[in-house]
Amino acid sequence: QVQLVESGGGLVQPGGSLRLSCAASGFTLDYYAIGWFRQAPGKEREGVSCISSSDGSTYYADSVKGRFTISRDNAKNTVYLQMNSLKPEDTAVYYCAARRGGLVLHPGEYDYWGQGTQVTVSS
C-alpha cells in the first residue's frame, strides 16, 4: 500500500523553526519528485517547495525562499522540510506529495498525498 506520512508539525512562535518529515511506505522515493504544499483555512492549496528524484534539484516558492530548505534521505525513504524564521502567515496544514517526473509545483501534477500536519505560528 502506497503511503506518505507527514510529521513534525506543531505550535511555534514567530521566528522559530520546525522540521517536517515525509516518510514513504509501499514504494521507493528514489524515483519520485517530492513536493511540499500547504493549505490555510479558506485558501487554496499552494506549493511550497519540491525536490527532484534524479539530481536533487530544488525549487522554492518566493514566499519561503531563503527560509525553508527541502532535502531527501533516500536511505530512510524520507524527505524533510526545514522551516526557519517562521511567520504567522506560514500557518497552514502542510502536505507532502509524490510524482514520477520532473520538478513542478502544481498540486494537480502529483499522484500520491499524505494526510497533512498542522503548523501554527503564533505568539
Side-chain angles (χ1 to χ4, degrees), residues 9-85:
L11 173 64
V12 63
Q13 291 186 343
S17 298
L18 284 174
R19 189 177 79 154
L20 305 184
S21 298
C22 172
S25 61
F27 69 109
T28 302
L29 281 181
D30 301 37
Y31 306 110
Y32 289 80
I34 304 299
W36 282 98
F37 298 83
R38 65 187 181 187
Q39 188 165 18
K43 294 188 176 182
E44 292 187 354
R45 191 168 296 188
E46 64 171 352
V48 174
S49 180
C50 53
I51 187 167
S52 72
S53 60
S54 54
D55 60 2
S57 298
T58 58
Y59 179 83
Y60 298 91
D62 288 342
S63 58
V64 306
K65 202 171 293 183
R67 300 188 298 124
F68 290 11
T69 303
I70 191 171
S71 62
R72 64 191 303 156
D73 185 340
N74 287 345
K76 295 184 178 180
N77 222 25
T78 301
V79 172
Y80 304 97
L81 185 69
Q82 177 67 43
M83 306 187 297
N84 299 328
S85 302

